[in-house]
Amino acid sequence: MTFANTDFTILLIDDEPDILEFLSYTLKKEGLKVFTANNGKDGVEMAKSLSPDLIILDVMMPQMDGYEVMQKIRQDPQFLSLPIIALTAKAMKGDREKCIEAGASDYISKPIDNEQLLSLLRVWLYM
C-alpha cells in the first residue's frame, strides 16, 4: 500500500550509506519524497531548508550524534511538533526513553522491519 499523499517529504539522516540507500529505496517505492544527509550537521541544515514532514534519524553517528541533532532541531519553534523517528542498532533497556527525552517522537531499532517502519510513518503522517 503506497501513501495516498505523495507530497510528503521525508529527511533521512544516517552516516551509513547502505542504510540511506535501503531506506531511500523503500520510501520512494511507497511514493514519498526522500532527501538524505550523511551526518548530523548537514541533517540540521537540511531540516531547516526543507521543512520535511518527518525525519528518520540515526542515533549513533560520529561528530554530532542523533541526540544532539534532535535537540538542535527542536530548538527551532517551527519544528516542535515535527515527527522525528529515532533509528538505532542499540536497543538496550532505557534507550527508547532516552530518545524520547532528547526529542524523538518515536523509536525503531535496526535491523529495520519495513512493515513496522511504514506503520510508524502512517501513524505520524496521520494516514
Side-chain angles (χ1 to χ4, degrees):
M1 177 179 146
T2 59
F3 286 78
N5 180 352
T6 57
D7 289 334
F8 284 128
T9 300
I10 310 298
L11 175 59
L12 305 174
I13 308 170
D14 199 310
D15 63 316
E16 295 180 39
D18 292 346
I19 297 292
L20 288 176
E21 185 177 331
F22 169 77
L23 288 174
S24 291
Y25 173 79
T26 300
L27 300 178
K28 286 178 181 178
K29 192 171 71 172
E30 296 295 319
L32 298 165
K33 293 178 186 169
V34 179
F35 294 86
T36 62
N38 61 9
N39 63 66
K41 182 179 180 287
D42 290 349
V44 171
E45 291 172 9
M46 287 182 76
K48 290 179 180 179
S49 66
L50 287 173
S51 292
D53 296 296
L54 185 139
I55 294 176
I56 299 173
L57 169 66
D58 183 29
V59 173
M60 305 292 287
M61 293 186 292
Q63 296 167 356
M64 184 187 297
D65 68 20
Y67 301 114
E68 187 177 351
V69 172
M70 285 185 273
Q71 291 167 347
K72 287 189 179 296
I73 289 171
R74 293 290 189 220
Q75 286 174 353
D76 189 327
Q78 74 172 341
F79 296 128
L80 291 177
S81 63
L82 172 70
I84 299 175
I85 298 176
L87 174 66
T88 184
K90 186 179 168 192
M92 308 286 284
K93 184 176 180 171
D95 285 341
R96 184 181 201 291
E97 292 76 17
K98 186 176 178 181
C99 288
I100 302 299
E101 287 173 15
S105 309
D106 220 321
Y107 169 96
I108 189 169
S109 62
K110 295 177 185 177
I112 301 162
D113 177 320
N114 279 356
E115 289 309 311
Q116 181 185 12
L117 176 63
L118 294 174
S119 177
L120 281 177
L121 292 181
R122 286 185 184 93
V123 167
W124 289 105
L125 294 172
Y126 307 107
M127 305 281 305

